[in-house]
Amino acid sequence: MTQAGAFRGFGGLFVEPPRVAAAGEHFLVRSGRECWFLTADLFGATFHRTSPDEFDSALRQTKLPPGLRVADAKLTWQDERFEIASLGKFTSVAANTTTLAVTSELTHTVVLIAFK
């Protein structure tokens, strides 16, 4: 598990807790009126500006993989269970073939969890 992004007041991008949507093998992130294309791999994550229209379109198409269950601060994927109580209630969840992206009400980051 890793976190990408931060509160703007501490040098990050986000003015408020972000939301995430799947965009193919990548993610789109929105915080306030601003949106970013998020790429992440073993070496880190980068954010690139994008439009709110692209985020809204991706949000409408975002679907979770079969077998993934999300409830408050708990995720269940196949036989793995993730409890991330320190994040509080999840506000958005998106996935691609290798990674789960989660946002919550208590952080200005996107939490990335690699599927095994």
Side-chain angles (χ1 to χ4, degrees):
M1 180 174 78
T2 188
Q3 295 182 333
F7 175 55
R8 184 170 291 167
F10 296 137
L13 297 172
F14 305 136
V15 295
E16 63 186 39
R19 304 238 179 206
V20 67
E25 288 301 306
H26 304 284
F27 300 103
L28 293 180
V29 181
R30 182 175 192 148
S31 175
R33 295 181 180 170
E34 299 175 307
C35 297
W36 295 268
F37 181 79
L38 167 62
T39 61
D41 62 19
L42 182 63
F43 302 104
T46 60
F47 291 90
H48 310 274
R49 293 270 182 189
T50 190
S51 74
D53 290 338
E54 287 182 80
F55 177 85
D56 293 341
S57 176
L59 188 61
R60 286 190 296 274
Q61 297 174 30
T62 294
K63 293 183 172 105
L64 296 179
L68 178 66
R69 290 181 298 286
V70 180
D72 292 326
K74 298 176 186 172
L75 299 166
T76 305
W77 170 249
Q78 296 174 348
D79 293 331
E80 290 187 75
R81 185 174 185 175
F82 303 93
E83 287 195 47
I84 314 171
S86 64
L87 295 179
K89 185 178 179 182
F90 298 149
T91 54
S92 66
V93 178
N96 60 27
T97 57
T98 62
T99 308
L100 179 68
V102 179
T103 61
S104 80
E105 61 189 2
L106 298 180
T107 182
H108 283 65
T109 65
V110 178
V111 177
L112 301 167
I113 302 168
F115 291 135
K116 291 184 180 179

